[in-house]
Amino acid sequence: QRVSALILALFTPFVVYWLAKNGLSDYALLKAQFSNPFCSGALVLYLLALFWHARLGLQVVVEDYVHGHGLETALQLAIKIVFSFAAVAAVLAIARLALSA
């Protein structure tokens, strides 16, 4: 969790600056920005670290506050599945923007 927190601390200023500078209003500009491998790669790293960090945080909350073994196991599995699908969806969305003509 400390490693993902460090990655997030390093990349968050870049992501905030990039979003403030470019916004999300112009799709053509967004596609042009994502065609830059540095930009899309950095955003992929940021999102993967974000999902990993959030998953680890929720895992600790479940371990600390859910005491039924079956419920705890089910919640841990659900958390892993949801965050895995979210991470894959985010990476595919970025890849689609980066590779579109």
Side-chain angles (χ1 to χ4, degrees):
Q1 200 169 16
R2 290 180 182 158
V3 172
S4 61
L6 178 64
I7 292 170
L8 290 174
L10 294 174
F11 277 106
T12 297
F14 166 76
V15 172
V16 169
Y17 169 76
W18 184 77
L19 288 174
K21 179 182 172 198
N22 297 312
L24 298 174
S25 60
D26 187 11
Y27 184 72
L29 176 64
L30 192 63
K31 281 176 52 172
Q33 291 292 322
F34 276 97
S35 67
N36 179 353
F38 174 75
C39 180
S40 57
L43 195 55
V44 165
L45 285 176
Y46 179 78
L47 287 174
L48 291 177
L50 183 68
F51 286 128
W52 185 260
H53 188 76
R55 187 193 69 80
L56 289 175
L58 283 176
Q59 177 181 332
V60 170
V61 169
V62 169
E63 289 169 355
D64 289 346
Y65 295 106
V66 177
H67 301 294
H69 180 69
L71 179 59
E72 180 181 348
T73 303
L75 286 173
Q76 294 288 8
L77 183 61
I79 289 168
K80 288 178 183 177
I81 290 171
V82 167
F83 278 98
S84 296
F85 278 119
V88 168
V91 170
L92 288 176
I94 292 170
R96 184 174 178 186
L97 276 174
L99 299 175
S100 64

